[in-house]
Amino acid sequence: MGLIIAGDRSGVGKTTITLALLASLREQGVSVQSFKVGPDYIDPMFHTYITGRPCRNLDPVLTSPEWVKTCYLHHGQTADCAVVEGVMGLFDGLPYNCHPDDRYFGSTAHVAKLLNLPVMLVLDCGRMSNSVAAIAHGFQTFDPSLNLAGIVLNRVGSDRHQEYLEAALEPLNLPILGVFPRQTQITIPDRHLGLIPTAELPHLNRILDRLAHLGKHHFNWQKLQQFLPIPPSPHLPISPSPHL
């Protein structure tokens, strides 16, 4: 079982959502093999710290599509499930003229199709309401061969904001797999290369505890059960908290 986490662009909260998912699963006793699309080495440090297993990079540009599939199958089969964090926007890859056999070679979408994985799309809703439906519809229909499992609404401002977003999305019949509030309590510092490495963060455990709590209360675990082996637990809500 596995899931790939993508964004409509960089900066929408992919890493925060991924870490919240990994931390929540580990808290429930699920063994998770994590992967990262592309050559990034800092995000995988956080994955490894949470899961206790080395995160593996999946990069068809620096390796090959066949190697990506081999790596995923070899390492993924040793855990209960696999979680893959994407890179940039879902369809952002090499230009078409570099690889005419694939319009977005090396992208998260490319890796999702190589591995036949469902995609959870993270959308930053902090500065929009009804427009979320246009964005979701575009990603839902752009490539029909891609399995878009559902979306996560990130940086939602209030209960009323959530109601507007859900009403706008209802005609699309696209599952909402999580609703995460706009918050400033969980901030992982960054610099020009991306996140600051784990060894330089003295309060990392506190941050990860907050991420686990966030994931526990704001993912729709009932809907996620079809993609991830989530054990029944009286401490795990099956749907997101109605109060942001």
Side-chain angles (χ1 to χ4, degrees):
M1 303 180 80
L3 189 66
I4 191 162
I5 301 174
D8 64 307
R9 62 191 186 281
S10 295
V12 299
K14 281 193 310 292
T15 299
T16 299
I17 299 301
T18 300
L19 298 182
L21 181 60
L22 293 176
S24 299
L25 289 171
R26 290 299 297 127
E27 193 175 71
Q28 296 304 310
V30 178
S31 64
V32 189
Q33 176 60 56
S34 72
F35 299 87
K36 171 66 180 177
V37 178
D40 187 332
Y41 69 95
I42 297 179
D43 288 359
M45 292 180 182
F46 287 84
H47 291 207
T48 298
Y49 193 93
I50 292 172
T51 65
R53 305 167 63 95
C55 175
R56 306 293 175 174
N57 289 85
L58 302 175
D59 191 335
V61 177
L62 294 181
T63 58
S64 69
E66 286 305 315
W67 187 91
V68 166
K69 290 189 281 189
T70 299
C71 178
Y72 179 82
L73 290 173
H74 176 73
H75 295 289
Q77 66 184 353
T78 62
D80 294 331
C81 64
V83 172
V84 183
E85 180 183 352
V87 62
M88 300 175 66
L90 177 57
F91 297 104
D92 295 329
L94 291 179
Y96 177 68
N97 58 359
C98 295
H99 287 276
D101 57 326
D102 197 300
R103 289 183 294 164
Y104 28 85
F105 192 93
S107 67
T108 304
H110 181 205
V111 172
K113 291 200 291 184
L114 282 175
L115 304 178
N116 194 28
L117 284 177
V119 175
M120 181 166 72
L121 181 68
V122 179
L123 299 177
D124 180 356
C125 303
R127 292 178 176 86
M128 64 179 170
S129 57
N130 292 338
S131 296
V132 70
I135 295 172
H137 178 67
F139 278 84
Q140 184 181 30
T141 58
F142 184 74
D143 185 348
S145 67
L146 199 65
N147 178 10
L148 186 57
I151 58 177
V152 168
L153 306 178
N154 195 25
R155 298 169 185 156
V156 177
S158 65
D159 291 348
R160 179 61 62 87
H161 187 199
Q162 179 178 340
E163 291 172 5
Y164 289 154
L165 294 168
E166 291 175 340
L169 290 164
E170 187 175 3
L172 301 183
N173 293 316
L174 189 59
I176 297 175
L177 302 178
V179 180
F180 284 74
R182 181 190 299 129
Q183 48 77 37
T184 57
Q185 294 180 337
I186 302 174
T187 302
I188 303 176
D190 59 8
R191 56 191 177 211
H192 64 285
L193 287 177
L195 298 179
I196 290 179
T198 53
E200 299 180 35
L201 296 174
H203 305 300
L204 180 57
N205 285 336
R206 189 183 309 166
I207 293 172
L208 297 180
D209 286 343
R210 290 174 180 169
L211 284 168
H213 179 81
L214 195 68
K216 175 180 177 181
H217 291 282
H218 293 286
F219 280 117
N220 189 317
W221 294 100
Q222 186 176 41
K223 293 180 179 178
L224 282 174
Q225 282 179 336
Q226 60 185 305
F227 310 111
L228 301 169
I230 302 161
S233 170
H235 307 295
L236 192 62
I238 62 172
S239 59
S241 170
H243 300 295
L244 295 174

